[in-house]
Amino acid sequence: MVADRIPEHPDVRTVPLQQVLEALVDPVRRSIVTQLHDADADIKCGGFNISVSNSTATHHFRVLREAGLIRQHYVGTSRMNTLRDNEINKRFPGLLEAIVTADRVATN
Amino acid sequence: MVADRIPEHPDVRTVPLQQVLEALVDPVRRSIVTQLHDADADIKCGGFNISVSNSTATHHFRVLREAGLIRQHYVGTSRMNTLRDNEINKRFPGLLEAIVTADRVATN
DNA sequence: ATGAAAGTACGATGATCGTCAAACTTTGAT
DNA sequence: ATCAAAGTTTGACGATCATCGTACTTTCAT
């Protein structure tokens, strides 16, 4: 069934800060979040500019999903990723914006 | 000599975001930063409410210092810690405030 | 039906990191 | 001079984590 391929998503209001920070401290995952933020649109897993293997990428997407940072749904064989920035911003005001902005600083 | 006991401090304008986030992702270190922020005053190493051994605490203070988050200076045998919040805020606007605020959320 | 496309799941591995105990250093008080 | 107070330094140990290759699953196009 289609729904079986959709993984579980946490309620952002119950996700601990610790988990969100652990998700965002990894450079690859932070890059994924930044690309989603800058694109202001959904991006499928294969559509990101990251240089890790497929299985590693899957791992990173799961960490981000379980931290409530992204939402995933299928379109055909592609898994689309949506940034849950509104929900995250309600829970931890200013956090995502600050990190995405900081990631754009010249001398990163 | 007295000056020999003062460790080196980085220029915050050259500290990478990665290093700052790695410093803040540890709960003990984040607690130290939060306590400094809330106290709005210097606190000596032994004056924090943390439950790790002395040597572990030293390790955490070094990580925070090298990330440009705190400044340390000696007063007698005590090492005083100052939060470098102004400098950090210039480099990564809103980041420290967002994390400290998030740390105060009820369901952390 | 068959094959390609897009990811996922499953170990395994190597590196990093938080933690501690024990020994040491520096300063201040007696 | 001596001793306690406050931290630091130095290994050592466990646990966690990012990474990969391989095998597997699901969907879509031919």
Side-chain angles (χ1 to χ4, degrees), chain B:
Chain B
M1 205 197 307
V2 171
D4 289 1
R5 301 190 74 194
I6 302 178
E8 294 178 6
H9 293 81
D11 185 341
V12 174
R13 297 169 299 182
T14 69
V15 172
L17 170 65
Q18 185 61 35
Q19 194 171 354
V20 173
L21 289 181
E22 281 170 4
L24 291 173
V25 79
D26 182 89
V28 176
R29 288 194 291 265
R30 203 165 57 246
S31 173
I32 291 174
V33 167
T34 300
Q35 289 178 50
L36 274 173
H37 183 272
D38 289 358
D40 202 30
D42 295 1
I43 303 178
K44 64 175 189 165
C45 288
F48 288 91
N49 189 2
I50 51 177
S51 49
V52 292
S53 74
N54 236 338
S55 52
T56 299
T58 296
H59 163 67
H60 286 312
F61 286 119
R62 181 174 54 214
V63 173
L64 287 172
R65 169 169 34 86
E66 292 177 348
L69 283 164
I70 61 172
R71 175 168 282 125
Q72 299 189 296
H73 70 279
Y74 269 97
V75 175
T77 61
S78 292
R79 204 174 223 182
M80 297 299 296
N81 301 276
T82 312
L83 189 61
R84 302 178 69 178
D85 44 3
N86 282 339
E87 296 164 273
I88 286 286
N89 196 51
K90 268 185 204 140
R91 174 118 172 88
F92 301 121
L95 180 61
L96 198 54
E97 188 68 30
I99 291 181
V100 168
T101 300
D103 225 5
R104 269 194 286 264
V105 167
T107 317
N108 73 322

Side-chain angles (χ1 to χ4, degrees), chain A residues 8-39:
Chain A
E8 294 177 7
H9 293 81
D11 185 340
V12 173
R13 296 169 299 183
T14 69
V15 172
L17 171 64
Q18 185 63 33
Q19 194 172 357
V20 173
L21 289 182
E22 281 171 4
L24 290 172
V25 80
D26 182 89
V28 175
R29 288 194 290 265
R30 202 164 59 246
S31 173
I32 290 172
V33 168
T34 300
Q35 289 178 51
L36 274 173
H37 183 273
D38 290 359

Side-chain angles (χ1 to χ4, degrees), chain A residues 17-107:
Chain A
L17 171 64
Q18 185 63 33
Q19 194 172 357
V20 173
L21 289 182
E22 281 171 4
L24 290 172
V25 80
D26 182 89
V28 175
R29 288 194 290 265
R30 202 164 59 246
S31 173
I32 290 172
V33 168
T34 300
Q35 289 178 51
L36 274 173
H37 183 273
D38 290 359
D40 201 31
D42 296 2
I43 303 178
K44 63 175 189 165
C45 289
F48 288 91
N49 190 3
I50 51 178
S51 48
V52 291
S53 74
N54 235 339
S55 51
T56 300
T58 295
H59 162 67
H60 287 311
F61 286 118
R62 181 176 54 215
V63 172
L64 287 172
R65 169 170 32 87
E66 291 176 349
L69 283 163
I70 62 172
R71 174 169 282 124
Q72 300 188 297
H73 70 279
Y74 270 97
V75 175
T77 61
S78 292
R79 203 175 225 182
M80 296 299 298
N81 300 279
T82 312
L83 190 61
R84 302 178 70 178
D85 44 4
N86 282 339
E87 295 163 273
I88 286 286
N89 195 53
K90 267 185 205 142
R91 174 117 171 89
F92 302 121
L95 180 62
L96 198 54
E97 188 68 29
I99 291 181
V100 168
T101 301
D103 225 5
R104 270 195 286 264
V105 166
T107 317

